[in-house]
Amino acid sequence: MAIKVGDEAPDFTFTLKNGSPASLKSLRQQRKAVVLYFYPKDDTPGCTAQACSFRDSYEAFSDAGAEVIGVSSDDSQSHDSFASKHRLPFSLVSDADGSLRKRYGVPRSFLGLMPGRVTYVIDRDGIVQHVFDSQLQATRHISEALDVLKRLSIS
């Protein structure tokens, strides 16, 4: 069952870029919004463009009080290499068994062969405020998320 706008985001634990443990709940306690994006695979053209677009807009996300977290099934070694190669300032989470993808209900695309590309904007109370699902518009995920964060900061 897919997580939708208005749902409470399922909690999960992960390791921050600096190596310390974190969870969605701990970020909520810090009053941070979260932009959680699921992507198919490290170092593929669309995923690299998406990650680099998040990197290039990272200051805007930080200024909006949001933490960016990327998730794919790649292992942590692949994530470390990908993040280093492209100077990614945000955390990448390994979901090798697909359990986090399943908890969020991220669909597979292209005849069920490829993991989907979905971005969730989660507010400071842990409620999903926006879901953007597009395999082919990888860089649009960034503008969609920033627009929602700006709207949330006004209200």
Side-chain angles (χ1 to χ4, degrees), residues 43-120:
D43 274 319
T44 57
C47 297
T48 299
Q50 182 180 28
C52 290
S53 292
F54 271 115
R55 176 202 64 206
D56 295 346
S57 296
Y58 188 71
E59 189 173 323
F61 285 104
S62 294
D63 290 348
E67 187 69 43
V68 175
I69 303 167
V71 180
S72 80
S73 60
D74 296 295
D75 62 28
S76 56
Q77 184 176 352
S78 175
H79 282 336
D80 290 346
S81 174
F82 184 53
S84 177
K85 180 178 180 180
H86 298 288
R87 301 177 332 277
L88 304 180
F90 49 85
S91 300
L92 298 177
V93 175
S94 177
D95 184 34
D97 65 0
S99 61
L100 187 56
R101 186 174 291 274
K102 186 174 182 177
R103 287 180 68 202
Y104 275 80
V106 177
R108 297 187 74 74
S109 60
F110 294 121
L111 303 173
L113 300 174
M114 181 182 284
R117 183 185 314 276
V118 180
T119 297
Y120 299 88

XYZ file of all heavy atoms in Angstrom, residues 43-120:
588
model
N 25.119 5.863 -9.937
C 25.958 6.037 -11.136
C 25.289 5.713 -12.468
O 25.978 5.420 -13.436
C 27.273 5.260 -11.010
C 28.327 6.073 -10.286
O 28.422 7.289 -10.545
O 29.057 5.497 -9.462
N 23.969 5.760 -12.518
C 23.285 5.676 -13.803
C 22.968 7.107 -14.231
O 22.919 8.009 -13.386
C 22.004 4.828 -13.698
O 21.160 5.395 -12.699
C 22.332 3.376 -13.349
N 22.777 7.363 -15.506
C 22.620 8.748 -15.961
C 21.508 9.540 -15.258
O 21.743 10.649 -14.767
C 22.347 8.597 -17.458
C 23.025 7.316 -17.837
C 22.842 6.423 -16.634
N 20.301 9.000 -15.204
C 19.197 9.719 -14.572
C 19.402 9.907 -13.079
O 19.123 10.980 -12.531
N 19.906 8.892 -12.423
C 20.116 8.958 -10.972
C 21.250 9.912 -10.628
O 21.189 10.615 -9.616
C 20.378 7.564 -10.412
S 18.965 6.454 -10.624
N 22.272 9.951 -11.461
C 23.369 10.889 -11.238
C 22.878 12.322 -11.432
O 23.176 13.208 -10.618
C 24.553 10.580 -12.176
O 25.025 9.255 -11.883
C 25.682 11.574 -11.993
N 22.095 12.556 -12.484
C 21.545 13.902 -12.713
C 20.666 14.326 -11.540
O 20.732 15.478 -11.080
C 20.750 13.926 -14.021
N 19.861 13.406 -11.043
C 18.982 13.711 -9.914
C 19.798 14.029 -8.664
O 19.564 15.041 -8.001
C 18.038 12.535 -9.655
C 17.050 12.798 -8.532
C 16.122 11.618 -8.293
O 16.486 10.471 -8.544
N 14.930 11.910 -7.813
N 20.752 13.187 -8.337
C 21.573 13.396 -7.143
C 22.344 14.710 -7.231
O 22.420 15.466 -6.250
C 22.532 12.228 -6.943
N 22.899 14.999 -8.400
C 23.662 16.248 -8.567
C 22.746 17.467 -8.504
O 23.156 18.530 -8.009
C 24.466 16.215 -9.858
S 25.851 15.040 -9.783
N 21.509 17.333 -8.947
C 20.550 18.437 -8.815
C 20.190 18.662 -7.350
O 20.072 19.810 -6.907
C 19.291 18.154 -9.632
O 19.583 18.195 -11.008
N 20.012 17.580 -6.590
C 19.796 17.736 -5.144
C 21.027 18.394 -4.518
O 20.904 19.281 -3.675
C 19.505 16.390 -4.469
C 18.044 16.021 -4.441
C 17.582 14.915 -5.138
C 17.130 16.756 -3.705
C 16.237 14.561 -5.106
C 15.788 16.417 -3.660
C 15.335 15.312 -4.370
N 22.213 17.972 -4.925
C 23.458 18.568 -4.413
C 23.497 20.065 -4.713
O 23.792 20.870 -3.839
C 24.657 17.878 -5.058
C 26.014 18.496 -4.674
C 27.104 18.184 -5.669
N 26.803 18.773 -6.967
C 27.268 18.289 -8.112
N 28.040 17.221 -8.142
N 26.964 18.876 -9.255
N 23.204 20.431 -5.946
C 23.292 21.828 -6.357
C 22.263 22.712 -5.645
O 22.473 23.920 -5.524
C 23.134 21.949 -7.871
C 24.275 21.277 -8.625
O 25.317 20.954 -8.003
O 24.115 21.063 -9.845
N 21.178 22.116 -5.177
C 20.137 22.861 -4.457
C 20.173 22.597 -2.957
O 19.267 23.019 -2.227
C 18.758 22.481 -5.007
O 18.649 22.866 -6.345
N 21.201 21.910 -2.495
C 21.251 21.485 -1.093
C 21.145 22.668 -0.124
O 20.466 22.577 0.902
C 22.524 20.677 -0.818
C 22.530 20.054 0.548
C 21.697 18.992 0.852
C 23.359 20.549 1.552
C 21.691 18.421 2.115
C 23.358 19.986 2.821
C 22.517 18.921 3.088
O 22.499 18.371 4.342
N 21.771 23.781 -0.447
C 21.707 24.947 0.432
C 20.271 25.443 0.562
O 19.834 25.820 1.652
C 22.610 26.059 -0.102
C 22.750 27.212 0.873
C 23.782 28.227 0.410
O 24.819 27.827 -0.157
O 23.542 29.416 0.640
N 19.519 25.421 -0.529
C 18.113 25.837 -0.475
C 17.305 24.892 0.405
O 16.436 25.332 1.168
C 17.525 25.896 -1.886
N 17.598 23.599 0.331
C 16.907 22.641 1.209
C 17.270 22.895 2.669
O 16.401 22.908 3.536
C 17.239 21.195 0.809
C 16.545 20.743 -0.429
C 17.226 20.644 -1.631
C 15.196 20.426 -0.414
C 16.591 20.234 -2.790
C 14.542 20.013 -1.565
C 15.242 19.927 -2.760
N 18.557 23.118 2.936
C 18.997 23.403 4.304
C 18.357 24.680 4.829
O 17.896 24.730 5.969
C 20.522 23.526 4.364
O 21.112 22.289 4.080
N 18.324 25.718 3.987
C 17.700 26.985 4.387
C 16.216 26.811 4.694
O 15.664 27.536 5.526
C 17.872 28.042 3.289
C 19.314 28.521 3.157
O 20.147 28.215 4.045
O 19.611 29.196 2.140
N 15.584 25.852 4.044
C 14.170 25.568 4.285
C 13.973 24.649 5.498
O 12.844 24.282 5.821
C 13.546 24.938 3.051
N 15.070 24.273 6.166
C 14.974 23.420 7.351
C 14.749 21.960 7.037
O 14.191 21.222 7.853
N 15.201 21.534 5.853
C 14.961 20.150 5.434
C 16.260 19.368 5.289
O 17.288 19.909 4.900
C 14.211 20.132 4.105
N 16.160 18.110 5.587
C 17.249 17.151 5.383
C 16.895 16.334 4.149
O 15.757 15.888 3.993
C 17.367 16.240 6.603
C 18.550 15.327 6.604
C 19.870 16.063 6.776
O 19.946 16.962 7.613
O 20.815 15.712 6.046
N 17.856 16.142 3.251
C 17.662 15.320 2.057
C 18.248 13.939 2.329
O 19.364 13.829 2.841
C 18.356 15.953 0.824
C 18.258 15.026 -0.388
C 17.777 17.325 0.516
N 17.487 12.901 1.980
C 17.941 11.525 2.153
C 17.600 10.756 0.880
O 16.445 10.731 0.453
C 17.261 10.840 3.354
C 17.506 11.626 4.640
C 17.728 9.400 3.497
C 16.637 11.197 5.800
N 18.618 10.136 0.275
C 18.405 9.310 -0.904
C 18.419 7.839 -0.531
O 19.170 7.426 0.355
N 17.594 7.049 -1.212
C 17.488 5.611 -0.916
C 17.521 4.813 -2.211
O 16.779 5.111 -3.149
C 16.162 5.285 -0.188
C 16.060 3.782 0.104
C 16.001 6.095 1.082
N 18.381 3.805 -2.252
C 18.362 2.825 -3.344
C 18.785 1.478 -2.781
O 19.187 1.378 -1.619
C 19.285 3.240 -4.492
O 20.622 2.926 -4.192
N 18.739 0.465 -3.622
C 19.111 -0.880 -3.160
C 20.615 -1.113 -3.197
O 21.088 -2.171 -2.791
C 18.398 -1.941 -4.005
O 18.774 -1.807 -5.355
N 21.383 -0.125 -3.671
C 22.843 -0.271 -3.692
C 23.383 -0.416 -2.271
O 22.807 0.116 -1.320
C 23.489 0.950 -4.349
C 23.089 1.084 -5.803
O 23.455 0.191 -6.585
O 22.416 2.065 -6.144
N 24.520 -1.097 -2.128
C 25.112 -1.264 -0.805
C 25.839 0.015 -0.369
O 26.032 0.937 -1.165
C 26.027 -2.489 -0.749
C 27.227 -2.415 -1.684
O 27.697 -1.295 -2.003
O 27.710 -3.486 -2.086
N 26.231 0.048 0.879
C 26.846 1.264 1.432
C 28.178 1.590 0.756
O 28.522 2.762 0.601
C 27.015 1.153 2.948
O 27.760 0.016 3.284
N 28.913 0.592 0.301
C 30.170 0.843 -0.411
C 29.892 1.582 -1.726
O 30.582 2.538 -2.080
C 30.909 -0.462 -0.665
C 32.266 -0.265 -1.312
C 33.011 -1.598 -1.467
O 32.597 -2.628 -0.981
N 34.118 -1.541 -2.174
N 28.880 1.148 -2.453
C 28.492 1.825 -3.691
C 28.050 3.257 -3.391
O 28.421 4.202 -4.100
C 27.356 1.054 -4.377
O 26.891 1.758 -5.510
N 27.246 3.419 -2.323
C 26.791 4.763 -1.924
C 27.975 5.663 -1.582
O 28.005 6.831 -1.976
C 25.853 4.686 -0.728
C 24.455 4.270 -1.057
N 23.871 4.431 -2.296
C 23.507 3.708 -0.269
C 22.627 3.985 -2.258
N 22.380 3.542 -1.037
N 28.923 5.128 -0.835
C 30.095 5.935 -0.453
C 30.856 6.407 -1.692
O 31.260 7.565 -1.779
C 31.028 5.137 0.463
C 30.439 4.901 1.846
O 29.447 5.567 2.206
O 30.977 4.030 2.558
N 31.040 5.514 -2.636
C 31.742 5.857 -3.866
C 30.965 6.891 -4.681
O 31.528 7.878 -5.172
C 31.960 4.580 -4.691
O 32.511 4.891 -5.944
N 29.671 6.672 -4.813
C 28.789 7.585 -5.558
C 28.796 8.975 -4.919
O 28.950 9.987 -5.607
C 27.379 6.982 -5.577
C 26.356 7.726 -6.374
C 26.565 8.075 -7.695
C 25.124 8.042 -5.800
C 25.581 8.737 -8.441
C 24.147 8.692 -6.528
C 24.380 9.045 -7.848
N 28.650 9.018 -3.592
C 28.617 10.302 -2.873
C 29.953 11.030 -2.988
O 29.995 12.249 -3.191
C 28.265 10.068 -1.409
N 31.042 10.300 -2.887
C 32.370 10.905 -2.985
C 32.626 11.428 -4.400
O 33.083 12.563 -4.582
C 33.418 9.874 -2.590
O 34.705 10.403 -2.747
N 32.339 10.625 -5.383
C 32.568 10.981 -6.780
C 31.825 12.251 -7.182
O 32.335 13.076 -7.928
C 32.125 9.809 -7.662
C 32.292 10.015 -9.145
C 31.846 8.748 -9.873
C 31.977 8.844 -11.369
N 31.531 7.597 -12.014
N 30.597 12.418 -6.643
C 29.757 13.549 -7.040
C 29.599 14.601 -5.946
O 28.773 15.489 -6.063
C 28.394 13.038 -7.512
C 28.504 12.153 -8.709
N 28.817 12.633 -9.964
C 28.394 10.809 -8.832
C 28.870 11.628 -10.817
N 28.625 10.511 -10.160
N 30.407 14.464 -4.871
C 30.404 15.432 -3.762
C 28.995 15.668 -3.206
O 28.550 16.809 -3.074
C 31.055 16.753 -4.202
C 32.485 16.609 -4.670
C 33.130 17.896 -5.191
N 32.260 18.919 -5.771
C 31.809 18.928 -7.042
N 32.159 17.957 -7.855
N 31.038 19.903 -7.477
N 28.321 14.585 -2.904
C 26.954 14.684 -2.384
C 26.999 14.999 -0.894
O 27.607 14.246 -0.122
C 26.195 13.379 -2.633
C 26.123 12.909 -4.084
C 25.336 11.614 -4.195
C 25.536 13.988 -4.991
N 26.364 16.078 -0.465
C 26.416 16.486 0.941
C 25.346 15.847 1.829
O 25.280 16.135 3.020
C 26.198 18.000 0.861
C 25.307 18.160 -0.319
C 25.742 17.089 -1.301
N 24.524 14.994 1.268
C 23.417 14.398 2.024
C 23.620 12.893 2.152
O 24.470 12.303 1.501
C 22.075 14.715 1.356
C 22.040 14.445 -0.114
C 21.747 13.177 -0.603
C 22.319 15.457 -1.024
C 21.729 12.927 -1.971
C 22.294 15.220 -2.391
C 22.000 13.956 -2.859
N 22.817 12.286 3.001
C 22.937 10.852 3.294
C 22.267 10.000 2.228
O 21.213 10.353 1.697
C 22.285 10.544 4.646
O 22.912 11.266 5.670
N 22.903 8.871 1.937
C 22.330 7.850 1.068
C 22.124 6.598 1.900
O 23.023 6.167 2.617
C 23.263 7.552 -0.111
C 23.553 8.711 -1.060
C 24.558 8.288 -2.132
C 22.274 9.236 -1.696
N 20.943 6.033 1.808
C 20.569 4.869 2.605
C 20.515 3.640 1.714
O 19.920 3.666 0.632
C 19.188 5.101 3.274
C 18.723 3.861 4.003
C 19.252 6.294 4.216
N 21.128 2.564 2.185
C 21.086 1.296 1.477
C 19.825 0.523 1.884
O 19.579 0.298 3.065
C 22.325 0.463 1.808
O 22.232 -0.792 1.175
N 19.052 0.145 0.893
C 17.834 -0.637 1.109
C 17.955 -1.924 0.299
O 17.135 -2.221 -0.570
C 16.612 0.199 0.680
C 15.293 -0.485 0.967
O 15.192 -1.213 1.973
O 14.351 -0.292 0.164
N 19.017 -2.667 0.592
C 19.365 -3.862 -0.193
C 18.241 -4.888 -0.249
O 18.037 -5.536 -1.277
C 20.641 -4.494 0.351
N 17.497 -5.029 0.838
C 16.425 -6.023 0.845
C 15.086 -5.461 0.364
O 14.099 -6.186 0.281
C 16.273 -6.654 2.228
C 15.815 -5.671 3.301
O 15.604 -4.473 2.995
O 15.679 -6.105 4.470
N 15.042 -4.158 0.053
C 13.823 -3.544 -0.457
C 12.750 -3.299 0.581
O 11.633 -2.907 0.237
N 13.070 -3.497 1.861
C 12.036 -3.369 2.896
C 11.538 -1.928 3.069
O 10.345 -1.709 3.286
C 12.535 -3.930 4.227
O 13.672 -3.210 4.670
N 12.437 -0.950 2.959
C 12.012 0.445 3.107
C 11.163 0.858 1.904
O 10.116 1.501 2.054
C 13.222 1.357 3.266
C 12.921 2.817 3.587
C 12.063 2.948 4.843
C 14.229 3.581 3.768
N 11.601 0.461 0.728
C 10.829 0.733 -0.493
C 9.428 0.134 -0.361
O 8.430 0.765 -0.713
C 11.577 0.125 -1.682
C 10.993 0.425 -3.027
C 11.901 -0.115 -4.136
N 13.140 0.623 -4.227
C 13.295 1.740 -4.926
N 12.303 2.238 -5.599
N 14.455 2.358 -4.963
N 9.341 -1.056 0.189
C 8.050 -1.723 0.366
C 7.191 -0.989 1.402
O 5.993 -0.810 1.198
C 8.276 -3.181 0.787
C 7.017 -3.988 0.864
C 7.302 -5.449 1.142
C 6.017 -6.238 1.166
N 6.255 -7.655 1.369
N 7.798 -0.538 2.501
C 7.041 0.168 3.545
C 6.428 1.454 3.023
O 5.359 1.863 3.461
C 7.932 0.480 4.748
C 8.247 -0.764 5.563
C 9.113 -0.468 6.746
N 8.402 0.335 7.725
C 8.993 1.084 8.632
N 10.307 1.152 8.679
N 8.291 1.765 9.496
N 7.114 2.095 2.081
C 6.593 3.330 1.493
C 5.718 3.060 0.268
O 5.088 3.968 -0.246
C 7.740 4.280 1.138
C 8.155 5.119 2.324
C 8.973 4.603 3.316
C 7.690 6.421 2.474
C 9.331 5.357 4.419
C 8.039 7.186 3.575
C 8.864 6.648 4.536
O 9.206 7.400 5.648
N 5.705 1.827 -0.188
C 4.876 1.472 -1.341
C 5.389 2.037 -2.648
O 4.609 2.355 -3.546
N 6.710 2.154 -2.767
C 7.302 2.683 -3.996
C 7.146 1.627 -5.090
O 7.643 0.512 -4.952
C 8.794 3.034 -3.787
C 9.412 3.505 -5.101
C 8.954 4.085 -2.707
N 6.465 2.000 -6.167
C 6.225 1.005 -7.226
C 7.461 0.758 -8.081
O 8.387 1.562 -8.116
C 5.132 1.675 -8.069
C 5.371 3.135 -7.891
C 5.877 3.298 -6.479
N 7.443 -0.359 -8.757
C 8.469 -0.648 -9.760
C 7.966 -0.051 -11.069
O 6.780 0.167 -11.248
C 8.695 -2.153 -9.877
C 9.238 -2.728 -8.559
C 9.626 -4.167 -8.664
N 10.855 -4.430 -9.375
C 12.080 -4.193 -8.908
N 12.229 -3.657 -7.733
N 13.148 -4.500 -9.617
N 8.878 0.238 -11.968
C 8.459 0.827 -13.240
C 9.047 0.041 -14.401
O 9.821 -0.902 -14.199
C 8.885 2.297 -13.304
O 10.282 2.407 -13.201
N 8.714 0.450 -15.604
C 9.157 -0.224 -16.824
C 8.917 -1.728 -16.752
O 9.835 -2.523 -16.630
C 10.627 0.079 -17.141
C 10.864 1.519 -17.483
C 11.741 2.269 -16.737
C 10.208 2.132 -18.535
C 11.968 3.605 -17.036
C 10.416 3.458 -18.836
C 11.298 4.198 -18.094
N 7.641 -2.069 -16.784
C 7.188 -3.462 -16.770
C 7.619 -4.204 -15.505
O 7.815 -5.411 -15.520
C 7.692 -4.202 -18.013
C 7.291 -3.578 -19.362
C 7.984 -4.296 -20.506
C 5.784 -3.598 -19.533
N 7.794 -3.462 -14.421
C 8.160 -4.068 -13.151
C 9.612 -4.474 -13.040
O 9.994 -5.161 -12.103
N 10.440 -4.038 -13.992
C 11.841 -4.449 -14.006
C 12.766 -3.513 -13.251
O 13.840 -3.914 -12.833
C 12.328 -4.576 -15.459
C 11.584 -5.578 -16.313
C 12.064 -5.503 -17.760
C 11.746 -6.984 -15.750
N 12.371 -2.256 -13.095
C 13.258 -1.263 -12.502
C 12.614 -0.648 -11.257
O 11.423 -0.347 -11.272
C 13.542 -0.158 -13.525
C 14.466 0.921 -13.014
S 14.716 2.213 -14.234
C 15.821 1.382 -15.336
N 13.403 -0.466 -10.194
C 12.857 0.212 -9.018
C 12.381 1.615 -9.391
O 13.002 2.298 -10.201
C 14.046 0.290 -8.063
C 14.997 -0.750 -8.529
C 14.792 -0.855 -10.019
N 11.274 2.031 -8.803
C 10.694 3.337 -9.111
C 11.491 4.501 -8.544
O 12.384 4.337 -7.715
N 11.131 5.690 -9.024
C 11.753 6.941 -8.591
C 10.625 7.800 -7.992
O 9.782 8.313 -8.728
C 12.383 7.647 -9.799
C 13.113 8.930 -9.460
C 13.616 9.647 -10.711
N 14.280 8.805 -11.681
C 15.565 8.453 -11.651
N 16.338 8.871 -10.671
N 16.077 7.689 -12.592
N 10.622 7.909 -6.670
C 9.568 8.638 -5.973
C 10.197 9.511 -4.892
O 11.108 9.071 -4.184
C 8.542 7.672 -5.323
C 7.445 8.443 -4.600
C 7.937 6.736 -6.354
N 9.696 10.743 -4.771
C 10.160 11.666 -3.738
C 8.999 11.996 -2.807
O 7.888 12.288 -3.267
C 10.715 12.960 -4.370
O 11.855 12.609 -5.166
C 11.129 13.961 -3.304
N 9.285 11.947 -1.504
C 8.317 12.299 -0.468
C 8.822 13.530 0.274
O 9.981 13.561 0.682
C 8.169 11.157 0.546
C 7.668 9.877 -0.060
C 8.557 8.954 -0.606
C 6.315 9.588 -0.100
C 8.111 7.779 -1.184
C 5.850 8.412 -0.673
C 6.760 7.518 -1.216
O 6.306 6.348 -1.782
